Amino acid sequence: MKESRVYNYSAGPGALPLPVLERAQDELVGLPGVGMSVLEISHRSAPFEQVLRDTENNLRALLDLPRDYHVLFLQGGATLQFSMVPMNLLRGSGRHADYVVAGTWGKKAVTEARREGEVRVLWDGDGEAFTRMPRPDEWQPDPKAAYVHITSNETIQGIQLHWEPESSPVPLVCDMSSDFLSRPISVERYGLIYAGAQKNAGPAGVTVVILREELLERIPDNLHTMLDYGVHVAKDSMYNTPPVFSIYVVNLVTEWLLLEIGGLRKMAEVNAEKAELLYRVIDESDGFYRGHAQSESRSHMNVTWSIADSNLELLFVNQARTRGMHGLKGHRSLGGLRASIYNAMPLHGVRALRDFMLEFREEYGL
Ligand code: PMP
């Protein structure tokens, strides 16, 4: 680790791989062979078009994308997708949409979808304090639904879906914001995937949308131009000025995943190993630490827990900070503690946190 850098466990924007930051720094004043910064070249120039193409190709390679899927780079965050999805796929369809509500983000997605049409909540984890994802036997989408919407990883509660629904004629729409590119997925099971980049894929400012060609036929006429997936597909994400710098960094991150990590299977192995280190400390703490998630839904991206004596939590956060570990305070709505250990958090960063958790318990446990 560079001397001036701390470990950053923040939930997003989250840590980026150091080699990516260093390369962006090296190239900031002039892209190699271009003599201008990526911050100042025209988005219509050949060098930027190359960046866009490379980023898309890296994503296609990492996710093994079938040919009938489009990749879009949009703005407005994952939050705008809460609206764009129902505008494009529910409005005027004469159908309802099924939503799985497993946490805060799924709930927000429902709020926006209800402005567009009828929404049915297929499964709701609220009664269990959002401590788990649904099991496969609790999953019965209505064949007449326009689509089914799920959130693969609930960032605030720290719960993750560890199984992928089977393909069905009802398109599956997934908010993958906080576990996108953290593990391999079976893309053909999804009609549409979206992810704000600022956790695993790059900086804030760009949202990746992956959608199956066939869904374009369902889009109603007369949507506002910027809110119409069809326009962005037709214009290769260049209907207006795209977030050039964010896309450029996604290009570097995806290249890092391909060349340095060796793909998503490798990444998933490392991520599972990292998560296991922290969950083991929680499980073996005799109740000093209490995990929020039920074990089968534990997130490999966001580990959420509390301390039995909640008065110690602030002390934990402050002491961790003095040791160069930042961003461990839980989300304000849930309280407690949260360690986001996205792709870019190295194993040694998780080991450092594990060691601190053990020491802290030694010091303050009974
Ligand atoms: N969905 C999930 C799962 C998230 O974690 C977040 C952001 N934390 C969002 C949606 C909202 O993303 P954005 O801030 O990019 O709009």
Side-chain angles (χ1 to χ4, degrees):
M1 189 166 67
K2 274 205 160 171
E3 222 175 286
S4 58
R5 280 175 62 79
V6 298
Y7 288 123
N8 174 10
Y9 304 92
S10 117
L16 283 165
L18 185 57
V20 165
L21 293 175
E22 287 174 336
R23 184 155 157 212
Q25 182 179 41
D26 278 354
E27 296 182 355
L28 188 69
V29 173
L31 275 178
V34 178
M36 280 181 281
S37 171
V38 68
L39 293 170
E40 43 186 16
I41 53 172
S42 162
H43 60 293
R44 310 266 173 213
S45 65
F48 183 73
E49 283 189 358
Q50 188 64 46
V51 168
L52 194 69
R53 252 195 314 273
D54 290 347
T55 315
E56 175 174 342
N57 287 338
N58 290 346
L59 285 168
R60 286 190 177 277
L62 282 167
L63 294 163
D64 200 11
L65 276 193
R67 292 182 70 87
D68 60 334
Y69 282 77
H70 297 283
V71 178
L72 301 176
F73 300 99
L74 305 184
Q75 301 189 61
T79 303
L80 185 59
Q81 295 310 306
F82 296 163
S83 305
M84 274 180 80
V85 165
M87 276 182 192
N88 282 262
L89 303 179
L90 181 59
R91 189 184 286 193
S93 67
R95 296 166 183 259
H96 73 277
D98 275 340
Y99 274 68
V100 170
V101 177
T104 308
W105 295 107
K107 211 166 154 174
K108 286 190 190 246
V110 166
T111 303
E112 300 307 320
R114 288 216 156 110
R115 299 177 202 272
E116 285 295 333
E118 189 193 341
V119 171
R120 295 187 196 157
V121 174
L122 187 63
W123 186 85
D124 192 343
D126 201 2
E128 289 176 73
F130 295 137
T131 52
R132 69 172 180 98
M133 288 287 179
R135 291 184 294 265
D137 62 0
E138 294 171 313
W139 172 265
Q140 270 128 18
D142 182 339
K144 291 196 289 298
Y147 60 87
V148 193
H149 182 281
I150 59 173
T151 311
S152 53
N153 186 75
E154 281 287 355
T155 323
I156 292 175
Q157 284 79 16
I159 58 174
Q160 188 175 23
L161 204 58
H162 290 295
W163 56 278
E164 289 182 282
E166 295 294 331
S167 304
S168 94
V170 181
L172 181 62
V173 175
C174 184
D175 175 1
M176 264 187 213
S177 293
S178 50
D179 64 359
F180 186 56
L181 303 181
S182 73
R183 56 182 179 179
I185 50 167
S186 308
V187 177
E188 61 287 349
R189 298 191 186 192
Y190 303 85
L192 190 151
I193 292 167
Y194 62 90
Q198 66 273 19
K199 287 109 172 34
N200 276 323
V206 64
T207 303
V208 178
V209 173
I210 294 173
L211 86 163
R212 193 159 60 214
E213 165 79 20
E214 142 293 282
L215 293 187
L216 297 174
E217 291 161 17
R218 306 180 181 216
I219 300 173
D221 293 336
N222 287 326
L223 284 186
H224 283 262
T225 313
M226 272 298 279
L227 301 175
D228 184 331
Y229 291 126
V231 170
H232 295 293
V233 167
K235 300 290 181 186
D236 285 329
S237 304
M238 298 262 266
Y239 171 71
N240 72 332
T241 316
V244 286
F245 187 72
S246 299
I247 294 171
Y248 159 79
V249 179
V250 173
N251 184 31
L252 300 186
V253 171
T254 49
E255 195 176 304
W256 170 82
L257 274 169
L258 280 167
L259 302 181
E260 290 199 35
I261 299 296
L264 298 189
R265 198 162 300 281
K266 272 276 171 50
M267 193 71 256
E269 280 168 25
V270 177
N271 286 333
E273 186 184 347
K274 289 185 312 193
E276 173 59 23
L277 285 178
L278 301 185
Y279 288 120
R280 193 176 312 146
V281 176
I282 292 170
D283 288 343
E284 295 177 356
S285 72
D286 284 329
F288 180 76
Y289 296 122
R290 296 180 175 172
H292 175 77
Q294 296 186 33
S295 54
E296 78 277 10
S297 297
R298 284 175 159 179
S299 171
H300 291 182
M301 298 281 99
N302 315 96
V303 178
T304 47
W305 77 102
S306 55
I307 300 182
D309 175 358
S310 60
N311 293 320
L312 290 173
E313 285 166 358
L314 189 60
L315 188 67
F316 181 96
V317 170
N318 289 338
Q319 282 197 7
R321 194 179 299 119
T322 63
R323 292 168 184 230
M325 292 182 261
H326 288 231
L328 289 164
K329 197 164 183 292
H331 189 271
R332 59 192 180 282
S333 62
L334 190 68
L337 302 161
R338 172 173 58 173
S340 296
I341 49 173
Y342 297 123
N343 288 351
M345 172 57 67
L347 191 56
H348 55 83
V350 179
R351 289 205 181 109
L353 175 58
R354 183 233 9 227
D355 293 346
F356 173 63
M357 287 172 76
L358 289 171
E359 271 179 50
F360 191 86
R361 182 194 155 211
E362 191 71 27
E363 174 103 22
Y364 298 100
L366 290 178

